[in-house]
Structure formats: structure tokens, C-alpha cells
Amino acid sequence: MSVGTVAMSAQVTLSMPEVEALSARAARGVGYSWGHCEECGVASAWLAAHGFDWPSSLLSRLRGDAGAAIRPAPLKWLSGGPVCALRCGTAIVDFADLPEGLGAAGLEVGEVLDPALLVPFLAQAVRSADRTYDCLVDGVPWLRIQPDGLVFRLAPGEAAKARASLSLASTDRPSVAPCQPTATITISRSHYNDLNALALRMTVPATDASARGAGGLGSDND
């Protein structure tokens, strides 16, 4: 079923464009910039396609605080507290080829809110760096990310907050299979309703003032 014809069931099936649009609109509804909203939509679609629990992580992020400001620096990024995974992920991609980005010595990102949302950005940065990296959360190996796009989940990582770091991976092949893309995206009706409610915040109430601003009360005669 599509977003426009959602039946009253426990699950909602979405296409990739619908995942992207719903996520971007939900991010805009809570005040993210248009640029970060677009990145949020693309990241959510990537997570959905690779079997991650994207709606739980996204709702946690959009309902949480904005996070501290990020100060990229070589080897170790600085901040005044936990940072937003969406904003941090965008910065990781932006700095991927710079001294502040991924290098042979890796990168200590610091404490990240909803770190599962980092994964699509890490995959993009690793592809740019053309090296294989392990991502650790709270010191535990979580992901192995290869520049060919393969991502191996070494351990669960859907924490609300964790310290994230990246280091060059060993040559040993992981004992788990890589995340497999899927074309069918199904989420709970509860998650769908919650995301849609956030998305609706970006709409303008139909007040007399808004109607006047849109020309609704003016004459159509030229």
C-alpha cells in the first residue's frame, strides 16, 4: 500500500521515495534546515534499504535535543557535549578528504546522539577515502564499512547515545554477512503516524492572515 492509500492495519509499506519524503518532511517539521532535511531523507532511505531500524532512530533524534556544536579537528573532533548524528554525519562527509576527516590514523568522533543515523554518511565518507574502516561505539566494534559499499554489522548499535570512533580495519574478513539491500520497506503504523504528525508541523494554519498573504481574500480581476 502507498502513503496515499494507507489501510487500517498494523503495518505500513512504503516505497523508497516515500521513506525519503516522509523523513525529510518530519525533520523540517521540527526545525532542521532544508539542507539537513534533504540529507535526513536520503539517510533514512539508505537505512531502510539496508535493514536498519530507521524509524525508531529517526523519531528518537527528531524528538531529542539539537545536540552540541561540532568542531572538526584532525584525529579527534571536539564538542561541548553529545552531537546530533544527522549534523555530525553531514560534517563527516564534508570533511572526508580533508585533514579533519578520515585518515590512516582514523577519527574519534566523540559522543553521538542516535548513532545509527551515522551509518549512511560513514558509508559515503569511506567510499571517498577508499579504505576499509571499523566503526566502534563505546569501544566495541560495531560496523565494518568497505569502500565498495558493503557494510557488516558486527554488533547491535541502535543506542540512544554512544561514543563513536573509526579506525582502519584489519584484513580479516568479518564472520557475518553484509547488510543486504531490500526493496520492500515496512514500518509499524505507530511509527508512520508519529513521523507524519511531525511532518504536518511544517504546514501553515489556514488563518485569515495566511489567506491574505496568499492572496486568498483579494480580487482575481486584473
Side-chain angles (χ1 to χ4, degrees):
M1 72 189 75
S2 68
V3 172
T5 57
V6 176
M8 293 305 295
S9 63
Q11 301 288 321
V12 177
T13 301
L14 305 173
S15 67
M16 288 299 174
E18 288 169 336
V19 170
E20 187 171 337
L22 178 62
S23 301
R25 290 176 63 240
R28 184 59 182 169
V30 300
Y32 278 79
S33 69
W34 283 111
H36 282 120
C37 291
E38 182 178 353
E39 297 287 356
C40 176
V42 173
S44 295
W46 189 100
L47 290 168
H50 289 78
F52 285 79
D53 184 11
W54 65 276
S56 295
S57 296
L58 181 58
L59 282 167
S60 175
R61 180 79 307 269
L62 298 184
R63 290 168 169 167
D65 63 56
I70 306 166
R71 288 171 287 169
L75 301 179
K76 182 177 181 179
W77 284 17
L78 308 174
S79 66
V83 300
C84 168
L86 293 172
R87 295 186 173 95
C88 182
T90 302
I92 286 174
V93 173
D94 289 343
F95 284 88
D97 298 323
L98 299 175
E100 297 88 348
L102 300 179
L107 177 65
E108 185 176 339
V109 179
E111 203 163 29
V112 180
L113 299 167
D114 306 296
L117 297 175
L118 280 178
V119 185
F121 302 101
L122 296 178
Q124 185 176 345
V126 166
R127 185 168 61 249
S128 177
D130 198 26
R131 297 185 178 99
T132 298
Y133 288 85
D134 283 338
C135 179
L136 290 74
V137 289
D138 291 333
V140 177
W142 170 36
L143 304 169
R144 176 158 297 178
I145 309 174
Q146 298 182 174
D148 59 6
L150 292 182
V151 175
F152 300 82
R153 297 183 70 176
L154 308 177
E158 277 77 6
K161 181 172 63 175
R163 297 194 66 84
S165 61
L166 293 107
S167 60
L168 285 179
S170 68
T171 57
D172 298 334
R173 185 171 179 83
S175 59
V176 297
C179 298
Q180 296 297 326
T182 178
T184 303
I185 307 303
T186 304
I187 66 172
S188 71
R189 172 163 296 281
S190 174
H191 282 151
Y192 172 80
N193 289 341
D194 289 345
L195 287 169
N196 200 43
L198 295 179
L200 288 173
R201 294 184 184 180
M202 67 180 288
T203 60
V204 178
T207 63
D208 288 345
S210 65
R212 284 195 298 271
L217 300 182
S219 170
D220 288 335
N221 296 327
D222 294 328

